[in-house]
Amino acid sequence: MKLRTLAVALVPALLLATTACGSSSGEQEKNAQGLDKVTLTLNWYPYGEHAPFYYGKKKEIFAKHGIDLTIQAGQGSQKTVQATAAGQTDFGWADTPALLSAVGQGMDVKSVGVFLQTTPSSVQFFSDKNIASPADLKGKTIASTAGDALSKTFPAFLKANGLAAGDVTLQNTDPAGKMAAVMSGKTDALLGFATDQGPTMQEKAGKQVSYLKFAEHGLSFYSNGLIASSDTIKNKQDLVKRMVAASSEAWSAAEKDAAGAVAAMAGASQQLPSEKVLTDQFNATLQLLHTDATKGQAPGINDEADWQKTITVFADAGVITKAESPSAYWDASFAPKG
């Protein structure tokens, strides 16, 4: 099944997730063993970045915290944030820029912990393009998806590197079509996560892929983390605390057993990348877990100054029209221990 077709097919499934979300009174539907039935909707179809959740489920880390976890594919961070805010999923795994934008639009949703604290946002291209620095992007055509956080922050990346928006041509492409555009030669590069498309493109084309990572060229900010609706945060505080704690423990355990974490993803999706690609994706993801302020701490522990830096980046980029304090976007009270 093609990705676009599958994305359409997933809509009913996502909406049906409301049946597993309990009520706003604080009650949560339980399974036969008395565990709380919890849904987590990812930012996209399962890929290596998501291995800790599958590993945590397989190793019964979530069960130890009283959670019967169901992991669902997503259709982009923006839709995951919307579904979480609407109560169609208990928790979401989504990119912080999408969360900031949603809160700015009045959606009642917050982060309960960013896990990927250095953005994997990047320009990706085959190494034979001889692109060694941002300056080499001048005159190039780059596949992007209009309206997403990457396309909105790319002008800031160009500015930070002495380039103007008009120095490159952005070709609007749906998320699933960006890799095809590069592999077919229709574009020179794409905007995407270095933990996602690159390893897949490299395997499919049999050609080396290189990256210009935003974080290595003057523009770093928070990326993916756990989100929950304000209603869930208010009425199910114990559940949120257990979910964050279990997720942090799962990430720590997966980091120590990368091969086991990747193996735990078997059967997660018909579109699941190969084991090699998953391994490359997960190993790249592990480099994003901390900033200088959180090194040595448990995954999911955030620093308020890092939040402020991220908010400033996206206010300057126009993704949000008004920069609120970190507490408007993030509830620090559920931070894992350690």
Side-chain angles (χ1 to χ4, degrees):
M1 182 184 292
K2 291 184 178 180
L3 286 178
R4 180 181 287 180
T5 304
L6 181 59
V8 173
L10 277 171
V11 174
L14 186 61
L15 295 176
L16 286 173
T18 52
T19 60
C21 294
S23 69
S24 62
S25 66
E27 297 177 357
Q28 190 76 11
E29 185 181 352
K30 297 184 183 296
N31 69 5
Q33 288 73 43
L35 302 179
D36 290 319
K37 298 178 72 174
V38 171
T39 53
L40 170 68
T41 299
L42 303 174
N43 57 312
W44 194 243
Y45 307 96
Y47 59 94
E49 175 185 305
H50 308 127
F53 294 110
Y54 291 91
Y55 186 73
K57 183 172 180 177
K58 182 177 180 179
K59 294 295 184 179
E60 299 187 343
I61 293 172
F62 287 97
K64 184 181 78 172
H65 288 268
I67 292 171
D68 176 10
L69 185 66
T70 295
I71 305 168
Q72 301 179 152
Q75 303 167 39
S77 285
Q78 184 176 5
K79 290 187 177 181
T80 295
V81 174
Q82 292 171 346
T84 305
Q88 296 168 352
T89 181
D90 293 306
F91 296 93
W93 178 256
D95 202 17
T96 300
L99 171 71
L100 298 182
S101 179
V103 172
Q105 295 169 22
M107 294 187 199
D108 288 329
V109 61
K110 281 188 175 183
S111 170
V112 290
V114 175
F115 284 68
L116 305 191
Q117 297 175 12
T118 301
T119 179
S121 297
S122 66
V123 185
Q124 305 177 28
F125 43 86
F126 289 122
S127 302
D128 60 14
K129 286 289 182 181
N130 294 317
I131 298 173
S133 71
D136 297 326
L137 296 176
K138 193 167 185 177
K140 298 292 192 293
T141 300
I142 301 174
S144 68
T145 301
D148 70 3
L150 272 163
S151 65
K152 288 182 178 180
T153 52
F154 186 56
F157 169 80
L158 293 174
K159 183 178 179 181
N161 290 282
L163 294 170
D167 287 336
V168 301
T169 299
L170 293 182
Q171 181 170 303
N172 185 29
T173 309
D174 65 67
K178 288 192 289 189
M179 286 192 296
V182 175
M183 288 189 290
S184 67
K186 291 181 179 178
T187 66
D188 299 297
L190 64 80
L191 294 180
F193 279 4
T195 52
D196 184 4
Q197 296 98 336
T200 299
M201 218 164 35
Q202 187 165 284
E203 181 181 70
K204 286 186 174 181
K207 294 170 63 177
Q208 185 73 29
V209 171
S210 295
Y211 309 86
L212 291 177
K213 298 177 181 178
F214 286 19
E216 294 177 357
H217 294 278
L219 197 68
S220 187
F221 47 86
Y222 271 174
S223 186
N224 288 351
L226 278 177
I227 61 171
S229 69
S230 298
D231 182 76
T232 296
I233 290 172
K234 178 182 177 182
N235 295 304
K236 302 178 182 180
Q237 294 184 18
D238 179 66
L239 175 65
V240 177
K241 190 171 184 177
R242 286 185 284 120
M243 180 65 180
V244 174
S247 298
S248 182
E249 186 176 335
W251 275 84
S252 291
E255 186 174 13
K256 297 171 184 174
D257 182 16
V262 168
M265 295 194 73
S269 166
Q270 289 182 334
Q271 279 70 38
L272 196 69
S274 71
E275 184 176 340
K276 183 184 184 305
V277 168
L278 288 172
T279 300
D280 289 345
Q281 290 174 330
F282 183 50
N283 286 335
T285 299
L286 291 177
Q287 309 305 311
L288 310 175
L289 291 180
H290 304 287
T291 64
D292 289 340
T294 61
K295 280 181 179 176
Q297 300 188 59
I301 291 180
N302 295 175
D303 178 75
E304 186 169 355
D306 288 335
W307 264 100
Q308 190 59 60
K309 290 176 186 175
T310 295
I311 293 164
T312 299
V313 165
F314 289 99
D316 290 346
V319 175
I320 52 176
T321 55
K322 180 182 178 183
E324 304 281 359
S325 66
S327 61
Y329 312 100
W330 164 55
D331 192 320
S333 65
F334 300 104
K337 295 179 181 179

